[in-house]
Amino acid sequence: VKGVPAKQTLFKQEFVVEVRNQRVNCKELRKVTWAQIDALDGINVFKFYKQPEAVIESKDAKITGFIQQTLGSNYRSTLSPYDAARKMFLAIIKRVTYTYPKEGDVDKRGHSAVQTFDKKLGDCGSFSMLIVACFRNMGIPARTACGAWIGGGGHCWSEFYLPGHGWFLCDGSGGNG
């Protein structure tokens, strides 16, 4: 190609970023009842999002004990599903510290919900697995979601469902930061 300089060329791009967050009406979310949550069992997709998986050990005794220690054994009669989920989320980000190994370092992250609970260390995926395991143990439909940034790098987060309101983002590693 003729006319192209043989030296390095620097390209510069400028971006405008708009930062937003999700606002919720807590008064409306607190109207969701445990009976409405339990009624979702009859819908296959929600039934799936309430079950344990290999790395989301929602029926493990450690997960059950953590929930009872955090919320009390009668939480379904004292807390709305929204308030119970919020309180569990806060307990998880208090318990687990974000970590990601540098190249050559020992990987100390939990690679399942129970490992994350035990190690108290994890990355975005670790937080997501533990949050989802706790919510599912409580009977709240929850799922892990993962995506990739343009240009490389990935991120995982969790989402939980409240009838009449839909899926809510719940990012443990973001909350821990």
Side-chain angles (χ1 to χ4, degrees), residues 6-168:
K7 61 180 182 171
Q8 267 190 328
T9 305
L10 175 65
F11 291 93
K12 182 179 176 184
Q13 293 181 325
E14 293 185 24
F15 298 91
V16 175
V17 177
E18 182 178 335
V19 179
R20 298 187 219 181
N21 61 8
Q22 182 179 13
R23 295 235 179 241
V24 297
N25 184 336
C26 299
K27 288 182 182 180
E28 289 300 312
L29 298 180
R30 287 185 175 109
K31 292 178 184 177
V32 175
T33 66
W34 288 105
Q36 289 173 296
I37 294 285
D38 294 340
L40 296 172
D41 289 346
I43 303 170
N44 281 341
V45 69
F46 294 114
K47 187 175 182 179
F48 174 81
Y49 288 122
K50 290 181 165 195
Q51 296 177 358
E53 295 180 59
V55 294
I56 300 173
E57 309 102 324
S58 55
K59 300 292 185 191
D60 189 275
K62 290 178 183 180
I63 301 297
T64 301
F66 181 48
I67 292 165
Q68 289 182 352
Q69 178 186 15
T70 302
L71 303 178
S73 58
N74 64 341
Y75 67 89
R76 281 180 157 238
S77 62
T78 59
L79 296 170
S80 71
Y82 169 76
D83 286 322
R86 186 173 190 279
K87 193 169 181 179
M88 278 312 306
F89 174 79
L90 294 172
I92 291 165
I93 62 172
K94 184 176 181 181
R95 179 181 181 84
V96 180
T97 301
Y98 182 89
T99 187
Y100 193 84
K102 294 178 183 169
E103 193 172 327
D105 284 354
V106 175
D107 187 353
K108 298 178 183 178
R109 300 172 292 175
H111 294 280
S112 74
V114 173
Q115 283 182 13
T116 303
F117 176 81
D118 288 341
K119 293 181 175 191
K120 300 181 182 179
L121 294 170
D123 64 359
C124 56
S126 309
F127 273 95
S128 182
M129 289 182 285
L130 181 55
I131 290 167
V132 169
C134 289
F135 289 176
R136 287 183 182 183
N137 181 290
M138 297 159 58
I140 298 172
R143 63 190 181 191
T144 296
C146 297
W149 303 108
I150 295 173
H155 183 59
C156 294
W157 61 94
S158 37
E159 299 172 340
F160 68 99
Y161 186 85
L162 293 178
H165 300 282
W167 291 97
F168 287 89

